[in-house]
Amino acid sequence: MSFGGVNTFQQYNTTDFGLGHNGVRITLNYFDGTPEPELLNSLNSNDLRLIFKSFLKRDDTTKEKALNDLWKLLEDFKQNENLFNDDIFVICWSQLYAKLITNESKVIRIQSHQISIALIKFLGKKISKFLKDLIPLVLLGTCDTDIAVSKACMADLNDCFKGNQEKITGLWTIFEEQILNLIKEIVLVEDQDTLSDERYVAKEESMFKYNRMFTSAICLLTTTLKMNDDDMKKNKEIYKLILSEDSKLWKSLTLKTIHNLKTFESLLVLIRILFDKTFLLSHKDILKTITKKMFKSLTSFSKKNILNYATIVPQTIDTIVLLTDYKNGRIWSYDKQSKEKMLNFLSVSCTNPVPGFFKSFYNLSLKTKDLSIFDFESEWLPIWRKSVKCLNEKSFLGRFGSQLIVECWTYYILTVKKFNVEKEDTESVLQSDVLATLANGNSLSEYASLKEVWDESVSPNAIVQEIEVYLNLENDLKIKEPKHLLDNMVQLLVALPKNEKALELLSGFIFDIISQDPSKAIEVHMDIINLYRYFINNNVFPLSKQISELIYELPTWLEVESYDVFSDLVTVYTRSKLFQANNEAISSIVDFFMATFSLDITKEKVIATLNSLDSQVFKTILHDENLDIPGFIKEYLKVYDYTDNGKLFGSQMISTSNVDLLYETAISTNKMQLFCNCLQKLAAPIREQFFEVSPFIKQSFLNLPVETRTTIYKLIKQCDESNTTITNHLCNSLLEYAETNFFGDSNVFCLDYAEDLLKADPTLIKLFTPSDVESTFSRYVPYIDYRLSLVNTLKISIHLFPTDTKQMNLKTSEELICYGLFLDRLLERLPEFVDNDKILFISMISELAADYNCISSIAHDEFLSFKHTFLKLDGYNFSMEEFFQELLSPETADDSSIVRALLSNEENVVSFLYKSCILHKILLNKVDSISTSTITDIIPSIEKFVSNSIRSKTANNVSYSKLCLLMSLFEKINSSDSVTKLRTLLASECIGVRETELVSKTYKTILVLLNMLNISDIGENFAPIAPQRLNMILTSIGKWLDSDIAYDPEFSVVRLSLLKLCTSFLKFPSVKNSNPAIFDVSERLLKDSVSMCQLDDTTYILELRQYCLELFIELSKEREMLESPDDLDNDVIDLCFINFPLETNNQISMMFYRILQKSLSKLSINVIEPYYDQLMDIILQEKKQGNINQIRIAVYLLESVISERQQRAIIDYEFKGQEQNQKQLEKDLDISDDQYKEEFKLPGKLVKKLIENFPQEYLEYEKKQEFLHYLWQWHLVFIFFKDVSYNMRQLFIEQLNENDLINKMFDFISDQIDFQDTKFWKQENSDAISTYSILETSFSPYEDDMFLECKRLLGNSLYELFNNVGSLTNKWWLNIKDRSLQKKIEEFVSEFVSPILISHELTEVSSKKSRLTEKDEALTIKINDITNEVRASYLIDEQKLELSFKLPANYPLTNVQVVGGPRVGISEQKWKQWLMSTQHIITAMNGSVLDSLELFSKNVNLQFSGFEECAICYSILHAVDRKLPTKTCPTCKNKFHGACLYKWFRSSGNNTCPLCRSEIPLHR
């Protein structure tokens, strides 16, 4: 509603301010007391003016928004204080506040009170003069009928006065007069018509609104009376006015409508307050009015509405009871029918009682007892019995059901006692009502206190009689009895005093029944068993002897059918106090289990029984030898299946002696997850011993799922705080797990656990780190794999250490690397544990990891991510002076230096090797920082050190390795004379050496020398060694090669050294110019070495082949200097066909095939072509045979060989085709003999492999090598297609279609390519689809690289198919039934393939159109790159004959469209036939646009040159064989193409002319 506007009700009395005290009128009604426009316009801000104008709107949403806006301003009070510290604002607000609190929206009321209280809080004393206007309205809010509003208002009030209750209470006294005026305004002045505008508010809504305000006013009045102790004297006249007998207050004391319920309840509270304050005692007329209204209201209660009014019944009775005190019950005389009204009221109310009703009823009966108004037996007793009956009949008593029954019976019995009723009839009635309650279908256990209420009201013997009657009933009759009847009677019997004899009678009765036929105990007498269970559970000691006799008899009565019931009775008995009081009862329990084991009882049931026994009883029988309970439990654990959800774990069956068996069973039955889920149910001591003794932590713990592992870890942590054994187990298990599984982030939990353990106990670091770094390293890597010389940083110098032909144990190496990664990541988290030993250990492992990645077929990037190494950490370094001092003068070096650590412990050759690798890398990093002068200065010392080392008889491999480290530093000054002198010194030690000394020592000198031949800047005249000395070395090498040991195994390292030495010498121009003998020696050495590569048992074969190729490349640069270079070429090619037994797909293989490809690239195609069949055999070998790079090199060579062979084959094929055609013309019209085509087809074996080797799985799951091998076979097929003639291409297509290979390949590719993975293809450029290089991966042998290569090759294969099979693409695509797949293919092809193919077609036409236009000046060919169109036009007599070829966006999925334009000099039928023939070239013959255009241009030329067209196809040149029409009908003289005529003969079934129908001879 709107507060504004003028209404006929509006008054203009300027002296009546209503509720206002500051010169403006404040009212609650809607038509008066609104702010004047002048006041609103005087507010301090436009925002406030807008807000207050919004308050005057009728829409509640607008008001809520305005209140929110006002509250936002008020929240920032300091900023906006000037807006609120204004009397005009407070005046306007107080007027509107009175209107807002009448609103039906509780949100508006809450916000209004909140703002008023906030103003009082913030403005303080400044608002004091307005408190009389505001406080009454605020206090009215605390009495709001909506509890949400009243609570919020009270909370804000407490906050305003900071919880000072004294100040809050004072408000009721200070502002009592204003509060009463507000109450008077609501109660006496306003009504539903003044609070709501009838024009906009429905009558019912306005009534609700006024009732709420009226009720709130009553509550406000009640609270005011409570808060003021002056007995209403201060404002006596206002009170009288409000409370007068004619007041609307008492007119509302009625229950005519349910909507008046809250008002009625509020008035009852007010009446009691007024009575307590003696106001009613002194105002008889008001009391009389109230009394009459009260009694009259009782008639409003009926069976129909009692559910709605039940809550106020107790208050109504209590109010009448209170008023009865007036002059000894005078009120009962104010209404002649008061007694009848009360009895009717109680009779109705007792049918639906609420808590407190029976107490109020009882108080009423006591209050009126002496007034002789009501009779107990005839009036009160029937109501009590009716109450009991109604409660008994309720199927659902609800939340207060138990409380009501207890309350009813409590005051029922009290009433009987108070009225001194001792008649037998009454006692009988009472007992009858008790039995009725027992039979009401509810369990007595729900209201246990009722048994205490009945303790003197019922006879035990009577209960026993009822029980016996019940037990004598047949089972079908018992079912009809009320639920819980027997249980209730037994519960009451046990609870009654003086029940011993009755219990004994009952016990004897039921024992006799069950002992007569124990077999029927379950079937017939289950209720008797339940009685015994109840007696045992409740420890009924009077029946102790009888129960003991029953348990004694149970073993003799036990049967399979009765086991469940009897065993339950036994277990309950063992846990009772009755058992504890019977010293002989244990023997009965033993007898029971003896009987159990004699019967066929399932193990699960027996286990459940044992577990339910009292723990002490279980321990007793556990040691009974006759029962052998432990053995029974053991057998059960072997077959335990967790169907009990793991309850067994928490049972007393499990102990430290058998929990391991449970674990073993879980392993054997694959139920480890269930076992772990139940571990927390184990008792703590058992669990701790299990973790300590069992192999669980080592074998199973770390392999569990994440959530399970986390839970178990917490259990282990609970134990390991005090148990070091468990801690050690856990640490060792973490290490073992890390050794085999530490890859990526998935196993970071190992670090989490280790970090957690170390933070709790730093001393545990000794368990995670090796005590002896070098011995630990050697345990994992016990020997040196010779292949390291190809990949290790020391290169061939590796042979200075004792190498082994056994391959590196990749498994143990991987374990060590994983251990190192784990330790590295752990130190990253806990840097306080970093020290030299750990860094040395991790540095060595880092070097091993680099070697591992090279040797293993699977390289892990994580293995290269070590952080705690000497090379990466700052602060762990040394100067070159330290290095030289340690090496040249070790006696003066610092024992704690890093150099000393890296050069120590020479006995452990494996660890020394990797320490040397570390030192070598550090030195290489430092070499640039060393000045040339520094090195030059120490050359004399180094020369002395070298001389002593190589001439010493005690020099070992380690000494030579130190020399190599030293020599690697001289690359910077290798060309200086001093270094040349040093090289010459080393070379001189190699001259004239005997064979025995060569293989034992001198080869080491050669290896040292090799380190000094790495010179980057080689001048033309620079000689690394004096020429004379070099000739002497070459002579010695020749002698060594002639010696008897040249082919012995011990000569192998020497051979390797010599290969590297000759390769190094050949890099120097001066050596080649001045020492021609180097070529003879090198050629001979290479021939011998390559021949040894053919032998499987050749030592160091993988290294040997590598060095052979390196030498071959150097020799190839000077072929004219070689004696037999062709033989060397053949020897190198032979390396392609050797299956090296030790070959794996690793970096060693990659290096070899890279250099092999480099070597082969220098050979001419004529040298390689004779090996075509051998190369093809490699391609056609079985999937699992051959190294992937061996196959790759074969494909690489075949690409060139096939291309070369095809160029010759094209000429031969076309030539033989012409010969065959000529023969055909000379003989007859029959099909030509195509036998000649067989030799030009694709290799049959290759096609067979394409059929047989289709991969069956998706690329992601297929073996990448086999998948790539298959795609390479197709790649070679596409090489056969490359640059072949149209006829030969058709031959290949027909051959592939014989086995439907083209469609199968299309299907295969479309199944393998993820057409939605456009991101991959966008990252690749268009060349990735249109071209494929067999060398693109640089011979990478790793699956990740092969996977990407396969993806690219699939895309290229699709492109090649499109490019080579023409219109077959369109047929395949249109036949795809899966429309979703068809759409995906189209989108992919249109985006990535079609643009390439369209560009290719247009480019081909563009590059070759001159070939057509030069022959015919009338022909014009235009290409439109935007519309992808080729247009050909002939200019004939100034008229154009046009034809266009349109390439669709999804070409070749949709064929090229041939569209005719203007035609001149050609009939329409002939023109259409030409168009069809042109289209036929593309759609049926897999031709290109250029092929089709060429046919069209020839037809046009021949047409206008006077040639006659074929009378069948209307073309001059045949679309397929390009022949002229040469067959003539002897009758009509029309000419035909031979192929057209033959087709007509076949279709018509005779040899007649298609035009004149005369016979045409076949052999003309």
Side-chain angles (χ1 to χ4, degrees), residues 302-317:
S302 65
K303 292 181 180 179
K304 294 181 179 179
N305 63 19
I306 188 61
L307 278 172
N308 296 325
Y309 291 155
T311 55
I312 63 168
V313 169
Q315 294 170 272
T316 304
I317 297 173

Side-chain angles (χ1 to χ4, degrees), residues 139 166-179 224 227-230 234-235:
L139 295 178
E166 186 177 346
K167 288 184 179 181
I168 296 173
T169 305
L171 296 175
W172 298 91
T173 304
I174 298 169
F175 298 98
E176 181 181 6
E177 180 183 352
Q178 289 77 28
I179 294 170
T224 304
M227 294 294 184
N228 291 283
D229 298 327
D230 60 356
K234 185 177 179 182
N235 295 287

Side-chain angles (χ1 to χ4, degrees), residues 779-805:
R779 188 173 71 250
Y780 288 92
V781 188
Y783 52 84
I784 301 172
D785 186 339
Y786 83 88
R787 295 177 298 169
L788 294 181
S789 64
L790 293 169
V791 295
N792 188 273
T793 185
L794 297 181
K795 300 179 181 177
I796 195 172
S797 298
I798 286 287
H799 286 289
L800 290 173
F801 300 87
T803 56
D804 202 309
T805 55

Side-chain angles (χ1 to χ4, degrees), residues 17-49:
F17 298 118
L19 300 174
H21 301 82
N22 291 283
V24 293
R25 182 170 173 77
I26 298 175
T27 65
L28 299 172
N29 58 55
Y30 71 89
F31 53 80
D32 195 11
T34 55
E36 295 291 336
E38 293 80 4
L39 288 176
L40 292 178
N41 291 330
S42 299
L43 292 171
N44 286 337
S45 77
N46 289 329
D47 289 338
L48 284 179
R49 286 192 285 273

Side-chain angles (χ1 to χ4, degrees), residues 1213-1227:
Y1213 178 77
E1214 294 299 333
F1215 178 75
K1216 289 188 178 182
Q1218 291 177 6
E1219 285 184 347
Q1220 185 62 32
N1221 290 338
Q1222 188 63 36
K1223 291 178 182 178
Q1224 181 184 358
L1225 289 172
E1226 292 173 356
K1227 292 183 179 179

Side-chain angles (χ1 to χ4, degrees), residues 1310-1321:
S1310 64
D1311 195 37
Q1312 291 289 345
I1313 293 180
D1314 182 0
F1315 293 113
Q1316 293 180 314
D1317 182 18
T1318 57
K1319 183 178 179 181
F1320 172 81
W1321 297 103

Side-chain angles (χ1 to χ4, degrees), residues 179 361 506 734 736 792 862 975 1023 1116 1382:
I179 294 170
F361 180 23
L506 178 61
L734 286 172
E736 291 179 14
N792 188 273
E862 298 95 332
S975 58
S1116 298
Q1382 191 182 53

